[in-house]
Amino acid sequence: MQPNPPQLRTDQLLRIAGSVHAASEARGGDSGARLLVFGVGFDSGVWAAVNCKGRTVFLEHNAIWLGKATKKRDLEVGRWDGRGGDAHRRSRRWSAA
């Protein structure tokens, strides 16, 4: 099996990580940021690590990826219908707060 190529270039990832860090600093630095990511994948752990002090929520519309994310990772994941509709709770960690 071929490794999955990254979807973002390093400079793009660093720019987003810098924005997350800046949002965290704007909130006081200790609480992290609130990060919403559409879609889970092999890089989901990176996004959670970038925002390790904050809340990172992933919304996924593909049932296969949703299953992989909720079984193998300690991620907060919700199901999204992909058409702009409601997100449905999928993770035990999901809360309305």
Side-chain angles (χ1 to χ4, degrees), residues 23-47:
S24 174
E25 291 297 313
R27 296 184 71 204
D30 292 332
S31 61
R34 293 183 204 151
L35 181 61
L36 177 62
V37 180
F38 287 88
V40 295
F42 295 114
D43 61 349
S44 296
V46 172
W47 296 117

Side-chain angles (χ1 to χ4, degrees), residues 38-76:
F38 287 88
V40 295
F42 295 114
D43 61 349
S44 296
V46 172
W47 296 117
V50 162
N51 193 33
C52 62
K53 293 181 181 178
R55 182 177 182 196
T56 304
V57 177
F58 297 86
L59 294 180
E60 178 58 60
H61 72 279
N62 182 292
I64 294 171
W65 278 105
L66 184 64
K68 287 180 182 184
T70 55
K71 287 180 184 176
K72 294 187 177 183
R73 296 187 174 97
D74 185 27
L75 301 175
E76 188 172 352

Side-chain angles (χ1 to χ4, degrees), residues 36-39 58-63 66 77-90 94:
L36 177 62
V37 180
F38 287 88
F58 297 86
L59 294 180
E60 178 58 60
H61 72 279
N62 182 292
L66 184 64
V77 182
R79 183 172 57 88
W80 174 57
D81 69 9
R83 297 172 301 203
D86 294 334
H88 302 280
R89 292 178 188 178
R90 174 70 177 189
W94 186 284

